[in-house]
Amino acid sequence: MFVADAIPGERVVARVTDVQHDRYWRAETLEVLRASADRRPHVWPEASVERAPEQRAGGAEFGHIRVDRQRDLKAEVLRDALARMGGVELDTPVRPVDPALALGASLDLGTGYRTRMRLHVAGDGTVGPYAARSHTVVPVASVPLAVPELARIAPIAERFPGARAVDLVAPSVGDPEVVVVTGERMPRAARPTIEERVGDRRFRLDRDGFWQVHRGAAATLTRAVQELVDADLFDPRAANLDLYGGVGLLAAAIGDRFGETVRITSVESDARATEHAGANLADWVGARAVTVRVDRFLDDLAAEAGNGALAADRARFRDATVVLDPPRSGAGRHVIERLAELAPRQLVYVACDPVALARDVGLLRERGYELVEVRAFDLFPNTHHVEAVARLTAIV
């Protein structure tokens, strides 16, 4: 049973809200009878167990747990998933963001880190987050997970009749913005852009495009990918790939580590992101960005590599390093099968869901890959989410 707003070992009064037959039940805590030593006052009063469940702000479901215990719980989930679905016994601690990269976020409280936040709008124009697992807008007096510059300008006391949502965006270059979302689709070429800085490098992207929400996340993942790639297995001339590449963050991480002669193709289905990736990767003569779904891109590569006349191309892929950062659902069986056919030397897999990662690790192990190392990072404090970066190498 999954009991929201409780901690393992506590005694609570709970109400069952969802029964998935013999798979699991969901329940919500109504009262805490015997509290855990790991319980603390919720960092977001509007999400506290003292409120009725339907009036608790969603998006900070671990906010009542001490941060170090949050990380332990996330590590337990990752370890269990890798054992059950990946067939690997591995104890991986969940690390906090390096204070030098956190840029003012509170590592002790897990607050002040979100550079992006969406507030929803109710029928009467009231703004706020949704209550957990519902579309009920909860009015709030604070947004403690937001970076301070967004918390200061969040229009939580205002009304926006007719709007669909209010987005808060604080890029690392330029001023924070409040964006009222009406539902009208803006022409692609007219979409506002912003810049994000990671170390000495800048990335251009659409204001509403994807970027990691934690202020230190992009730098953390850049460093992790750079460190996890085995330099002895890396060939800068091979057909290296950055799958689900977005605006080129991780392809640039590879280029910055291995030099301007690196050959790498960033693959992304979003055309605007690919346009930005092409410009963001212009420093590397061998870098390119293509707009296509990853599964279709790999289907085409596998078909070409199966042609006997292209033996040299097959060799280029066997020498390759592949970085992939799929959506929460993971890469999945089809993509894994295609990658295994191409047989790159090493894979660096960035995952935001431990179960999807473990499933894909299991599929890769069945196809001749070994899980060498996993690093996990607490990029979403006060939530159950955890980011992991894994390296797998082909078994020779």
Side-chain angles (χ1 to χ4, degrees):
M1 177 180 288
F2 299 102
V3 184
D5 300 311
I7 303 173
E10 288 189 325
R11 186 174 183 180
V12 303
V13 176
R15 177 173 60 203
V16 174
T17 58
D18 186 19
V19 178
Q20 294 292 325
H21 304 292
D22 58 346
R23 294 176 57 211
Y24 60 84
W25 290 8
R26 289 188 186 276
E28 52 197 16
T29 299
L30 301 180
E31 183 182 1
V32 179
L33 302 178
R34 186 178 65 234
S36 165
D38 296 317
R39 181 173 284 275
R40 65 175 181 179
H42 205 293
V43 296
W44 199 357
E46 291 90 339
S48 171
V49 72
E50 279 75 30
R51 279 192 161 207
E54 62 275 11
Q55 288 300 315
R56 293 175 195 163
E61 65 275 11
F62 273 16
H64 60 292
I65 309 173
R66 288 189 300 109
V67 168
D68 55 347
R69 181 59 174 143
Q70 292 182 33
R71 296 181 189 134
D72 289 344
L73 289 171
K74 295 176 189 186
E76 289 174 18
V77 170
L78 178 59
R79 180 172 59 249
D80 179 67
L82 286 171
R84 286 189 302 105
M85 304 183 70
V88 180
E89 295 288 342
L90 194 64
D91 195 0
T92 302
V94 174
R95 312 177 187 191
V97 173
D98 184 331
L101 304 179
L103 302 175
S106 171
L107 299 181
D108 293 331
L109 295 177
T111 56
Y113 68 87
R114 288 194 67 105
T115 61
R116 280 128 175 93
M117 177 169 284
R118 167 159 286 195
L119 300 173
H120 300 280
V121 181
D124 64 356
T126 302
V127 300
Y130 282 147
R133 293 181 297 281
S134 85
H135 288 115
T136 300
V137 174
V138 178
V140 294
S142 63
V143 282
L145 301 193
V147 294
E149 57 265 42
L150 283 186
R152 284 193 293 268
I153 65 173
I156 49 181
E158 299 179 31
R159 291 178 180 265
F160 295 85
R164 185 164 61 89
V166 176
D167 287 342
L168 309 177
V169 183
S172 52
V173 179
D175 297 326
E177 297 185 57
V178 175
V179 182
V180 179
V181 180
T182 62
E184 296 181 9
R185 193 163 183 81
M186 185 177 295
R188 194 172 74 179
R191 293 178 190 171
T193 62
I194 57 174
E195 283 191 352
E196 293 286 357
R197 183 171 52 237
V198 181
D200 295 329
R201 186 167 296 284
R202 292 193 180 198
F203 295 85
R204 182 165 292 279
L205 64 150
D206 283 0
R207 184 179 61 191
D208 61 354
F210 174 78
W211 190 257
Q212 293 285 342
V213 299
H214 193 296
R215 175 158 267 171
T220 297
L221 295 177
T222 291
R223 179 187 294 178
V225 167
Q226 289 174 333
E227 292 177 352
L228 280 173
V229 171
D230 187 336
D232 292 335
L233 298 179
F234 187 82
D235 182 352
R237 299 162 299 176
N240 302 300
L241 298 175
D242 170 31
L243 304 181
Y244 313 95
V247 297
L249 173 69
L250 300 182
I254 298 298
D256 279 338
R257 180 178 177 193
F258 293 102
E260 62 185 16
T261 61
V262 162
R263 180 181 181 187
I264 190 165
T265 298
S266 183
V267 182
E268 168 61 50
S269 62
D270 183 272
R272 280 288 287 177
T274 306
E275 290 175 21
H276 292 307
N280 294 334
L281 299 174
D283 287 3
W284 298 278
V285 67
R288 68 185 184 113
V290 297
T291 304
V292 63
R293 277 177 35 174
V294 167
D295 56 346
R296 292 176 181 170
F297 177 82
L298 295 177
D299 284 344
D300 290 343
L301 286 186
E304 292 173 4
N307 185 329
L310 297 176
D313 281 347
R314 291 201 300 275
R316 286 190 298 107
F317 287 112
R318 283 197 299 270
D319 293 338
T321 293
V322 175
V323 178
L324 61 160
D325 184 8
R328 190 169 302 281
S329 57
R333 180 177 294 274
H334 183 79
V335 167
I336 296 299
E337 288 177 347
R338 285 292 182 257
L339 282 173
E341 290 174 26
L342 294 169
R345 284 182 180 176
Q346 62 182 330
L347 301 163
V348 178
Y349 189 131
V350 180
C352 58
D353 183 86
V355 173
L357 171 65
R359 178 204 63 210
D360 289 347
V361 164
L363 292 171
L364 284 163
R365 294 183 69 244
E366 292 171 359
R367 289 158 178 78
Y369 282 83
E370 175 187 15
L371 180 63
V372 178
E373 184 178 356
V374 179
R375 298 184 188 179
F377 301 97
D378 194 16
L379 301 187
F380 309 94
N382 292 311
T383 80
H384 70 280
H385 299 294
V386 60
E387 196 90 4
V389 185
R391 176 163 65 89
L392 301 101
T393 58
I395 300 173
V396 179

Short mmCIF file of all heavy atoms in Angstrom, two decimals, residues 239-296:
data_model
loop_
_atom_site.label_atom_id
_atom_site.label_comp_id
_atom_site.label_asym_id
_atom_site.label_seq_id
_atom_site.Cartn_x
_atom_site.Cartn_y
_atom_site.Cartn_z
N ALA A 239 30.81 7.15 -34.78
CA ALA A 239 29.47 7.72 -34.99
C ALA A 239 28.77 7.88 -33.64
O ALA A 239 27.75 7.25 -33.35
CB ALA A 239 28.66 6.83 -35.92
N ASN A 240 29.33 8.76 -32.80
CA ASN A 240 28.79 8.96 -31.46
C ASN A 240 27.42 9.62 -31.52
O ASN A 240 27.16 10.45 -32.40
CB ASN A 240 29.76 9.82 -30.64
CG ASN A 240 31.14 9.19 -30.56
OD1 ASN A 240 31.30 8.08 -30.06
ND2 ASN A 240 32.15 9.89 -31.08
N LEU A 241 26.55 9.26 -30.57
CA LEU A 241 25.16 9.73 -30.61
C LEU A 241 24.76 10.34 -29.27
O LEU A 241 25.18 9.88 -28.21
CB LEU A 241 24.21 8.57 -30.91
CG LEU A 241 24.38 7.86 -32.26
CD1 LEU A 241 23.43 6.65 -32.32
CD2 LEU A 241 24.11 8.82 -33.41
N ASP A 242 23.92 11.37 -29.37
CA ASP A 242 23.25 11.98 -28.22
C ASP A 242 21.76 11.85 -28.49
O ASP A 242 21.20 12.63 -29.27
CB ASP A 242 23.68 13.44 -28.08
CG ASP A 242 22.85 14.21 -27.07
OD1 ASP A 242 22.40 13.60 -26.09
OD2 ASP A 242 22.66 15.43 -27.26
N LEU A 243 21.11 10.85 -27.90
CA LEU A 243 19.71 10.56 -28.19
C LEU A 243 18.79 11.27 -27.20
O LEU A 243 19.10 11.36 -26.02
CB LEU A 243 19.47 9.05 -28.14
CG LEU A 243 20.35 8.20 -29.06
CD1 LEU A 243 20.00 6.72 -28.92
CD2 LEU A 243 20.23 8.65 -30.52
N TYR A 244 17.65 11.74 -27.72
CA TYR A 244 16.74 12.61 -26.96
C TYR A 244 17.52 13.85 -26.54
O TYR A 244 17.50 14.27 -25.38
CB TYR A 244 16.16 11.89 -25.74
CG TYR A 244 15.64 10.50 -26.01
CD1 TYR A 244 16.44 9.37 -25.81
CD2 TYR A 244 14.33 10.29 -26.47
CE1 TYR A 244 15.97 8.09 -26.05
CE2 TYR A 244 13.85 9.01 -26.71
CZ TYR A 244 14.68 7.92 -26.50
OH TYR A 244 14.21 6.65 -26.74
N GLY A 245 18.21 14.46 -27.48
CA GLY A 245 19.26 15.43 -27.20
C GLY A 245 18.80 16.81 -26.81
O GLY A 245 19.64 17.62 -26.37
N GLY A 246 17.52 17.15 -26.96
CA GLY A 246 17.07 18.48 -26.58
C GLY A 246 17.83 19.56 -27.30
O GLY A 246 18.02 19.50 -28.52
N VAL A 247 18.31 20.55 -26.58
CA VAL A 247 19.03 21.67 -27.20
C VAL A 247 20.54 21.46 -27.18
O VAL A 247 21.30 22.40 -27.38
CB VAL A 247 18.66 23.00 -26.51
CG1 VAL A 247 17.18 23.31 -26.70
CG2 VAL A 247 19.05 23.01 -25.04
N GLY A 248 20.98 20.22 -26.91
CA GLY A 248 22.39 19.91 -27.08
C GLY A 248 23.23 19.93 -25.82
O GLY A 248 24.46 19.88 -25.90
N LEU A 249 22.61 19.94 -24.65
CA LEU A 249 23.37 20.04 -23.40
C LEU A 249 24.40 18.93 -23.26
O LEU A 249 25.58 19.18 -23.00
CB LEU A 249 22.41 20.01 -22.20
CG LEU A 249 23.08 19.94 -20.82
CD1 LEU A 249 23.79 21.24 -20.50
CD2 LEU A 249 22.04 19.61 -19.74
N LEU A 250 23.97 17.68 -23.43
CA LEU A 250 24.88 16.56 -23.17
C LEU A 250 25.84 16.31 -24.33
O LEU A 250 26.96 15.84 -24.12
CB LEU A 250 24.08 15.30 -22.83
CG LEU A 250 23.19 15.45 -21.58
CD1 LEU A 250 22.46 14.16 -21.27
CD2 LEU A 250 24.00 15.92 -20.37
N ALA A 251 25.41 16.63 -25.55
CA ALA A 251 26.35 16.57 -26.67
C ALA A 251 27.48 17.57 -26.44
O ALA A 251 28.66 17.27 -26.72
CB ALA A 251 25.64 16.86 -27.99
N ALA A 252 27.14 18.74 -25.93
CA ALA A 252 28.16 19.74 -25.62
C ALA A 252 29.08 19.26 -24.50
O ALA A 252 30.29 19.55 -24.50
CB ALA A 252 27.50 21.07 -25.23
N ALA A 253 28.51 18.53 -23.53
CA ALA A 253 29.34 17.97 -22.46
C ALA A 253 30.42 17.05 -23.03
O ALA A 253 31.58 17.09 -22.62
CB ALA A 253 28.46 17.22 -21.46
N ILE A 254 30.02 16.22 -24.00
CA ILE A 254 30.98 15.32 -24.65
C ILE A 254 32.01 16.13 -25.44
O ILE A 254 33.23 15.89 -25.36
CB ILE A 254 30.26 14.34 -25.57
CG1 ILE A 254 29.30 13.45 -24.77
CG2 ILE A 254 31.26 13.48 -26.35
CD1 ILE A 254 29.96 12.58 -23.74
N GLY A 255 31.55 17.12 -26.18
CA GLY A 255 32.47 17.94 -26.97
C GLY A 255 33.46 18.70 -26.10
O GLY A 255 34.65 18.77 -26.42
N ASP A 256 32.98 19.24 -24.99
CA ASP A 256 33.88 19.99 -24.10
C ASP A 256 34.92 19.09 -23.46
O ASP A 256 36.04 19.53 -23.18
CB ASP A 256 33.07 20.70 -23.01
CG ASP A 256 32.46 22.01 -23.50
OD1 ASP A 256 32.98 22.57 -24.48
OD2 ASP A 256 31.47 22.46 -22.90
N ARG A 257 34.58 17.83 -23.23
CA ARG A 257 35.58 16.95 -22.63
C ARG A 257 36.60 16.45 -23.66
O ARG A 257 37.79 16.39 -23.38
CB ARG A 257 34.90 15.74 -21.97
CG ARG A 257 35.98 14.83 -21.36
CD ARG A 257 35.50 13.63 -20.63
NE ARG A 257 36.67 12.85 -20.18
CZ ARG A 257 36.61 11.62 -19.72
NH1 ARG A 257 35.44 11.01 -19.61
NH2 ARG A 257 37.70 10.99 -19.35
N PHE A 258 36.12 16.12 -24.88
CA PHE A 258 37.01 15.43 -25.82
C PHE A 258 37.49 16.28 -26.99
O PHE A 258 38.24 15.80 -27.82
CB PHE A 258 36.32 14.16 -26.33
CG PHE A 258 36.13 13.12 -25.25
CD1 PHE A 258 34.89 12.95 -24.65
CD2 PHE A 258 37.19 12.36 -24.82
CE1 PHE A 258 34.72 12.02 -23.65
CE2 PHE A 258 37.03 11.41 -23.82
CZ PHE A 258 35.79 11.24 -23.22
N GLY A 259 37.07 17.53 -27.06
CA GLY A 259 37.69 18.43 -28.02
C GLY A 259 36.87 18.71 -29.26
O GLY A 259 35.86 18.07 -29.54
N GLU A 260 37.35 19.70 -30.02
CA GLU A 260 36.58 20.23 -31.15
C GLU A 260 36.47 19.28 -32.33
O GLU A 260 35.68 19.51 -33.24
CB GLU A 260 37.20 21.55 -31.60
CG GLU A 260 38.63 21.43 -32.11
CD GLU A 260 39.24 22.78 -32.43
OE1 GLU A 260 38.67 23.80 -31.99
OE2 GLU A 260 40.26 22.80 -33.13
N THR A 261 37.26 18.20 -32.35
CA THR A 261 37.18 17.25 -33.47
C THR A 261 36.17 16.14 -33.21
O THR A 261 36.02 15.25 -34.04
CB THR A 261 38.56 16.62 -33.74
OG1 THR A 261 38.98 15.89 -32.56
CG2 THR A 261 39.58 17.69 -34.09
N VAL A 262 35.48 16.18 -32.07
CA VAL A 262 34.51 15.14 -31.75
C VAL A 262 33.41 15.09 -32.81
O VAL A 262 32.89 16.11 -33.25
CB VAL A 262 33.88 15.39 -30.37
CG1 VAL A 262 32.60 14.60 -30.20
CG2 VAL A 262 34.86 15.02 -29.28
N ARG A 263 33.07 13.88 -33.18
CA ARG A 263 31.94 13.66 -34.08
C ARG A 263 30.77 13.16 -33.24
O ARG A 263 30.90 12.15 -32.53
CB ARG A 263 32.31 12.61 -35.13
CG ARG A 263 31.21 12.33 -36.11
CD ARG A 263 31.64 11.26 -37.11
NE ARG A 263 30.58 10.99 -38.06
CZ ARG A 263 30.62 10.01 -38.97
NH1 ARG A 263 31.69 9.24 -39.04
NH2 ARG A 263 29.62 9.83 -39.80
N ILE A 264 29.66 13.87 -33.28
CA ILE A 264 28.49 13.45 -32.51
C ILE A 264 27.23 13.98 -33.17
O ILE A 264 27.21 15.11 -33.68
CB ILE A 264 28.59 13.93 -31.03
CG1 ILE A 264 27.50 13.29 -30.17
CG2 ILE A 264 28.56 15.46 -30.92
CD1 ILE A 264 27.74 13.41 -28.68
N THR A 265 26.21 13.15 -33.19
CA THR A 265 24.91 13.53 -33.74
C THR A 265 23.89 13.58 -32.63
O THR A 265 23.71 12.60 -31.89
CB THR A 265 24.45 12.52 -34.81
OG1 THR A 265 25.38 12.50 -35.88
CG2 THR A 265 23.08 12.90 -35.36
N SER A 266 23.24 14.73 -32.47
CA SER A 266 22.19 14.90 -31.48
C SER A 266 20.84 14.66 -32.15
O SER A 266 20.53 15.26 -33.18
CB SER A 266 22.24 16.31 -30.89
OG SER A 266 21.27 16.47 -29.87
N VAL A 267 20.04 13.77 -31.57
CA VAL A 267 18.77 13.36 -32.17
C VAL A 267 17.63 13.78 -31.26
O VAL A 267 17.62 13.43 -30.06
CB VAL A 267 18.73 11.83 -32.38
CG1 VAL A 267 17.42 11.40 -33.04
CG2 VAL A 267 19.93 11.36 -33.20
N GLU A 268 16.68 14.53 -31.80
CA GLU A 268 15.58 15.08 -31.00
C GLU A 268 14.36 15.22 -31.90
O GLU A 268 14.47 15.66 -33.06
CB GLU A 268 15.99 16.43 -30.42
CG GLU A 268 14.89 17.26 -29.82
CD GLU A 268 14.19 16.58 -28.65
OE1 GLU A 268 14.90 16.10 -27.75
OE2 GLU A 268 12.95 16.53 -28.67
N SER A 269 13.17 14.88 -31.39
CA SER A 269 11.95 14.95 -32.21
C SER A 269 11.36 16.35 -32.29
O SER A 269 10.59 16.64 -33.20
CB SER A 269 10.90 13.98 -31.66
OG SER A 269 10.53 14.34 -30.34
N ASP A 270 11.70 17.23 -31.35
CA ASP A 270 11.15 18.59 -31.34
C ASP A 270 11.98 19.48 -32.27
O ASP A 270 13.17 19.69 -32.05
CB ASP A 270 11.17 19.15 -29.93
CG ASP A 270 10.54 20.53 -29.85
OD1 ASP A 270 11.28 21.52 -30.06
OD2 ASP A 270 9.34 20.62 -29.59
N ALA A 271 11.33 19.99 -33.30
CA ALA A 271 12.05 20.74 -34.34
C ALA A 271 12.70 22.01 -33.79
O ALA A 271 13.83 22.35 -34.17
CB ALA A 271 11.10 21.09 -35.49
N ARG A 272 12.01 22.71 -32.91
CA ARG A 272 12.59 23.95 -32.38
C ARG A 272 13.82 23.65 -31.52
O ARG A 272 14.83 24.35 -31.58
CB ARG A 272 11.55 24.70 -31.55
CG ARG A 272 10.58 25.49 -32.37
CD ARG A 272 11.23 26.73 -32.97
NE ARG A 272 11.47 27.78 -31.99
CZ ARG A 272 12.07 28.93 -32.25
NH1 ARG A 272 12.54 29.16 -33.47
NH2 ARG A 272 12.24 29.85 -31.31
N ALA A 273 13.74 22.59 -30.71
CA ALA A 273 14.90 22.22 -29.90
C ALA A 273 16.08 21.87 -30.80
O ALA A 273 17.22 22.24 -30.52
CB ALA A 273 14.55 21.05 -29.00
N THR A 274 15.80 21.17 -31.90
CA THR A 274 16.88 20.79 -32.82
C THR A 274 17.50 22.02 -33.47
O THR A 274 18.73 22.09 -33.65
CB THR A 274 16.35 19.84 -33.90
OG1 THR A 274 15.70 18.74 -33.28
CG2 THR A 274 17.48 19.31 -34.76
N GLU A 275 16.68 23.00 -33.82
CA GLU A 275 17.22 24.24 -34.39
C GLU A 275 18.20 24.89 -33.41
O GLU A 275 19.30 25.31 -33.78
CB GLU A 275 16.08 25.21 -34.71
CG GLU A 275 15.21 24.80 -35.88
CD GLU A 275 14.03 25.74 -36.05
OE1 GLU A 275 14.12 26.89 -35.55
OE2 GLU A 275 13.04 25.35 -36.69
N HIS A 276 17.79 24.95 -32.15
CA HIS A 276 18.67 25.53 -31.15
C HIS A 276 19.91 24.67 -30.94
O HIS A 276 21.02 25.21 -30.78
CB HIS A 276 17.92 25.71 -29.83
CG HIS A 276 16.83 26.74 -29.88
ND1 HIS A 276 17.05 28.02 -30.32
CD2 HIS A 276 15.52 26.67 -29.54
CE1 HIS A 276 15.92 28.71 -30.25
NE2 HIS A 276 14.98 27.91 -29.78
N ALA A 277 19.75 23.35 -30.94
CA ALA A 277 20.89 22.47 -30.74
C ALA A 277 21.94 22.68 -31.83
O ALA A 277 23.14 22.70 -31.55
CB ALA A 277 20.44 21.01 -30.72
N GLY A 278 21.49 22.86 -33.08
CA GLY A 278 22.43 23.10 -34.15
C GLY A 278 23.30 24.32 -33.89
O GLY A 278 24.52 24.29 -34.12
N ALA A 279 22.68 25.39 -33.39
CA ALA A 279 23.44 26.60 -33.08
C ALA A 279 24.29 26.41 -31.83
O ALA A 279 25.44 26.85 -31.77
CB ALA A 279 22.48 27.78 -32.90
N ASN A 280 23.74 25.72 -30.82
CA ASN A 280 24.47 25.53 -29.58
C ASN A 280 25.70 24.63 -29.74
O ASN A 280 26.62 24.69 -28.92
CB ASN A 280 23.54 24.94 -28.51
CG ASN A 280 22.43 25.90 -28.10
OD1 ASN A 280 22.56 27.12 -28.19
ND2 ASN A 280 21.31 25.35 -27.65
N LEU A 281 25.70 23.80 -30.78
CA LEU A 281 26.80 22.85 -31.00
C LEU A 281 27.73 23.30 -32.12
O LEU A 281 28.54 22.52 -32.61
CB LEU A 281 26.24 21.46 -31.32
CG LEU A 281 25.38 20.82 -30.23
CD1 LEU A 281 24.76 19.52 -30.74
CD2 LEU A 281 26.20 20.57 -28.97
N ALA A 282 27.63 24.56 -32.51
CA ALA A 282 28.38 25.05 -33.67
C ALA A 282 29.89 25.04 -33.45
O ALA A 282 30.66 25.10 -34.41
CB ALA A 282 27.92 26.45 -34.03
N ASP A 283 30.34 24.93 -32.19
CA ASP A 283 31.79 24.93 -31.91
C ASP A 283 32.48 23.68 -32.44
O ASP A 283 33.69 23.67 -32.63
CB ASP A 283 32.05 25.01 -30.41
CG ASP A 283 31.76 26.39 -29.85
OD1 ASP A 283 31.31 27.26 -30.60
OD2 ASP A 283 31.98 26.59 -28.64
N TRP A 284 31.73 22.62 -32.65
CA TRP A 284 32.33 21.34 -33.04
C TRP A 284 32.00 21.04 -34.51
O TRP A 284 30.84 20.87 -34.86
CB TRP A 284 31.81 20.21 -32.14
CG TRP A 284 32.20 20.44 -30.72
CD1 TRP A 284 33.38 20.14 -30.12
CD2 TRP A 284 31.40 21.07 -29.71
NE1 TRP A 284 33.38 20.54 -28.81
CE2 TRP A 284 32.17 21.11 -28.53
CE3 TRP A 284 30.10 21.60 -29.68
CZ2 TRP A 284 31.71 21.65 -27.33
CZ3 TRP A 284 29.64 22.15 -28.50
CH2 TRP A 284 30.43 22.18 -27.34
N VAL A 285 33.03 20.95 -35.31
CA VAL A 285 32.82 20.77 -36.75
C VAL A 285 32.14 19.45 -37.05
O VAL A 285 31.43 19.31 -38.05
CB VAL A 285 34.18 20.88 -37.49
CG1 VAL A 285 35.10 19.72 -37.13
CG2 VAL A 285 33.97 20.98 -39.00
N GLY A 286 32.33 18.45 -36.18
CA GLY A 286 31.73 17.15 -36.42
C GLY A 286 30.39 16.95 -35.76
O GLY A 286 29.85 15.84 -35.77
N ALA A 287 29.83 18.01 -35.17
CA ALA A 287 28.53 17.89 -34.49
C ALA A 287 27.41 18.27 -35.43
O ALA A 287 27.53 19.19 -36.25
CB ALA A 287 28.50 18.78 -33.26
N ARG A 288 26.29 17.58 -35.33
CA ARG A 288 25.09 17.94 -36.08
C ARG A 288 23.87 17.58 -35.25
O ARG A 288 23.95 16.76 -34.32
CB ARG A 288 25.05 17.24 -37.44
CG ARG A 288 24.85 15.75 -37.39
CD ARG A 288 24.95 15.13 -38.78
NE ARG A 288 24.67 13.71 -38.74
CZ ARG A 288 23.61 13.12 -39.30
NH1 ARG A 288 22.72 13.87 -39.97
NH2 ARG A 288 23.42 11.82 -39.22
N ALA A 289 22.77 18.21 -35.56
CA ALA A 289 21.52 17.96 -34.85
C ALA A 289 20.45 17.62 -35.88
O ALA A 289 20.30 18.32 -36.89
CB ALA A 289 21.10 19.19 -34.04
N VAL A 290 19.72 16.53 -35.65
CA VAL A 290 18.69 16.10 -36.59
C VAL A 290 17.35 16.02 -35.88
O VAL A 290 17.27 15.67 -34.70
CB VAL A 290 19.04 14.75 -37.24
CG1 VAL A 290 20.31 14.85 -38.06
CG2 VAL A 290 19.17 13.65 -36.19
N THR A 291 16.29 16.36 -36.63
CA THR A 291 14.94 16.32 -36.09
C THR A 291 14.27 15.03 -36.54
O THR A 291 13.90 14.89 -37.71
CB THR A 291 14.11 17.52 -36.57
OG1 THR A 291 14.78 18.73 -36.22
CG2 THR A 291 12.73 17.51 -35.95
N VAL A 292 14.12 14.10 -35.63
CA VAL A 292 13.46 12.83 -35.93
C VAL A 292 13.24 12.11 -34.61
O VAL A 292 13.97 12.32 -33.64
CB VAL A 292 14.33 11.97 -36.89
CG1 VAL A 292 15.66 11.58 -36.25
CG2 VAL A 292 13.57 10.73 -37.36
N ARG A 293 12.21 11.29 -34.57
CA ARG A 293 12.01 10.46 -33.39
C ARG A 293 13.16 9.47 -33.25
O ARG A 293 13.66 8.93 -34.25
CB ARG A 293 10.69 9.71 -33.48
CG ARG A 293 9.51 10.52 -33.07
CD ARG A 293 8.20 9.81 -33.24
NE ARG A 293 8.25 8.37 -32.99
CZ ARG A 293 7.18 7.59 -32.98
NH1 ARG A 293 5.98 8.12 -33.21
NH2 ARG A 293 7.30 6.30 -32.77
N VAL A 294 13.57 9.22 -32.02
CA VAL A 294 14.73 8.36 -31.80
C VAL A 294 14.50 6.96 -32.34
O VAL A 294 15.40 6.37 -32.96
CB VAL A 294 15.08 8.31 -30.30
CG1 VAL A 294 16.06 7.19 -29.98
CG2 VAL A 294 15.64 9.66 -29.85
N ASP A 295 13.32 6.40 -32.14
CA ASP A 295 13.09 5.04 -32.63
C ASP A 295 13.20 4.97 -34.15
O ASP A 295 13.78 4.02 -34.70
CB ASP A 295 11.75 4.50 -32.14
CG ASP A 295 10.56 5.39 -32.51
OD1 ASP A 295 10.76 6.54 -32.92
OD2 ASP A 295 9.41 4.92 -32.35
N ARG A 296 12.70 5.98 -34.84
CA ARG A 296 12.78 5.98 -36.31
C ARG A 296 14.22 6.18 -36.77
O ARG A 296 14.66 5.57 -37.75
CB ARG A 296 11.87 7.06 -36.89
CG ARG A 296 10.39 6.76 -36.66
CD ARG A 296 9.50 7.89 -37.16
NE ARG A 296 8.09 7.60 -36.92
CZ ARG A 296 7.11 8.49 -37.08
NH1 ARG A 296 7.40 9.73 -37.49
NH2 ARG A 296 5.86 8.15 -36.84
#
